[in-house]
Amino acid sequence: MKNVFKLFILAIIATAPVVGFAQQYKLPFKQAAWTKSYPPFRIAGDLYYVGTDDLASYLLTTKEGHILINTGLEESVGELKKNVEKLGFKFSDIKILLATHAHYDHVAAMAAIKKATGATLMIQQADVQFMKDGGKSDSVLGKDGATFAAVVPDRILKDQDIVKLGGASVKLLHHPGHTPGASSFSLTVKDQKRSYKVLIANIPTILDETKLSGMPGYVQVGKDYGYTISVMKKERFDIWLASHASQFSLQKKHQPGDPYRPEAFFGRQDYDKTLAEIEVNYNKRIKE
């Protein structure tokens, strides 16, 4: 009976783009690239891109099930499922759900996917309340109420915690500021040639509405941004990715149909440049 129910839920998810779940919430803003399709592809080793044209979702596969990092908008669940299956994997084999931070453009589909797959949802402890109230307690984006379906996390993560599944290990790096629990993920994948250290970076962009002097519900936001910019400069990696495809110039590094080439995501020049630009903005706004 349980399997029949799961198949029923998966059938509903397959029609998600038509149903448009997100309409029940008032989204602060939305961009066309967030829901525009992008062909899934293998990044390196067992790590795959399964997101949209701009909202990045990553699938880390193992023989014991898969880890999904970020989901995009709720209306894109059907697209995400299709991408996973196009790569030859079962959507129902997703066992763990992770997120770089609890904003609706990255976690809005968590509730639906968790219900459909039975996956374990894990989130950094400072973003737990956001998940529980659908982002309503967010000092910036929650001013008009919930922006996504509320869901209770199964496991609360702290800085340096390691998530393991089927031989794969993902380390959480707490990089607060964009949200109190914003986090990057560090992992190592390998193919027949070599191993690759990967950083899925939560780039610490500062929203226009954020007051670095402090806000109700997030008094230490300015201090957190300062800390995060400092520690992210020291990160070491072979490949770096981010929560948004635009943040790491996905379309310049990989075109649909391109062959497997992990080297396309090598280098840190653009990573350092991005952090330097954010730091200039931070230093200016922290004085306001």
Side-chain angles (χ1 to χ4, degrees):
M1 188 66 182
K2 182 178 180 180
N3 289 333
V4 173
F5 177 73
K6 182 178 288 188
L7 289 173
F8 174 71
I9 293 298
L10 286 172
I12 293 176
I13 281 182
T15 64
V18 178
V19 176
F21 292 111
Q23 292 179 1
Q24 62 184 298
Y25 305 106
K26 185 176 180 180
L27 304 186
F29 51 87
K30 178 181 174 183
Q31 298 177 5
W34 288 2
T35 54
K36 182 180 177 182
S37 299
Y38 196 87
F41 66 95
R42 184 187 183 195
I43 299 171
D46 295 320
L47 183 65
Y48 300 81
Y49 187 90
V50 293
T52 63
D53 193 60
D54 186 54
L55 296 184
S57 295
Y58 302 99
L59 187 74
L60 180 59
T61 64
T62 83
K63 293 181 180 180
E64 294 180 18
H66 316 312
I67 298 174
L68 179 67
I69 301 175
N70 289 351
T71 68
L73 297 178
E74 198 166 11
E75 64 193 86
S76 296
V77 179
E79 186 71 19
L80 195 157
K81 178 177 181 290
K82 182 178 71 174
N83 284 345
V84 170
E85 294 176 342
K86 188 178 292 185
L87 291 169
F89 303 107
K90 292 182 179 180
F91 192 74
S92 58
D93 283 342
I94 293 174
K95 303 300 182 184
I96 295 175
L97 298 170
L98 299 174
T100 50
H101 62 274
H103 276 164
Y104 64 95
D105 49 334
H106 306 293
V107 301
M110 287 294 184
I113 295 175
K114 182 177 177 351
K115 186 174 184 180
T117 64
T120 299
L121 172 60
M122 306 180 186
I123 198 79
Q124 207 285 334
Q125 61 181 350
D127 272 2
V128 169
Q129 187 55 44
F130 284 15
M131 297 301 296
K132 287 182 176 181
D133 61 26
K136 188 176 180 180
S137 58
D138 189 320
S139 300
V140 175
L141 302 184
K143 58 185 179 181
D144 293 320
T147 54
F148 59 89
V151 57
V152 178
D154 300 295
R155 177 181 168 188
I156 298 173
L157 301 174
K158 298 179 181 180
D159 186 35
Q160 303 296 311
D161 274 355
I162 297 176
V163 175
K164 295 184 178 182
L165 178 68
S169 296
V170 179
K171 180 187 289 187
L172 181 142
L173 307 173
H174 188 207
H175 292 156
H178 195 65
T179 66
S183 301
S184 301
F185 295 103
S186 178
L187 59 148
T188 297
V189 296
K190 62 181 179 179
D191 58 20
Q192 294 179 335
K193 292 184 178 180
R194 55 164 291 180
S195 295
Y196 309 87
K197 185 174 182 180
V198 180
L199 176 69
I200 299 177
N202 190 89
I203 299 300
T205 53
I206 306 172
L207 298 176
D208 292 341
E209 301 87 349
T210 299
K211 297 183 184 302
L212 294 182
S213 58
M215 300 177 291
Y218 200 177
V219 177
Q220 76 277 15
V221 59
K223 181 179 179 181
D224 279 357
Y225 266 114
Y227 162 80
T228 290
I229 293 170
S230 176
V231 297
M232 287 191 74
K233 289 181 186 179
K234 303 173 185 177
E235 293 298 336
R236 295 291 178 263
F237 49 81
D238 298 309
I239 290 172
W240 81 279
L241 309 164
S243 303
H244 288 267
S246 55
Q247 291 175 329
F248 66 101
S249 302
L250 168 63
Q251 288 78 7
K252 292 182 180 180
K253 299 175 180 178
H254 175 90
Q255 288 293 312
D258 281 354
Y260 173 67
R261 193 167 76 89
E263 295 82 4
F265 302 95
F266 277 14
R268 63 176 299 131
Q269 185 175 355
D270 50 348
Y271 175 85
D272 290 336
K273 181 181 178 182
T274 296
L275 287 181
E277 291 172 348
I278 290 174
E279 186 171 27
V280 169
N281 183 37
Y282 169 79
N283 288 333
K284 177 182 177 181
R285 291 181 56 178
I286 195 69
K287 299 175 183 178
E288 296 176 351

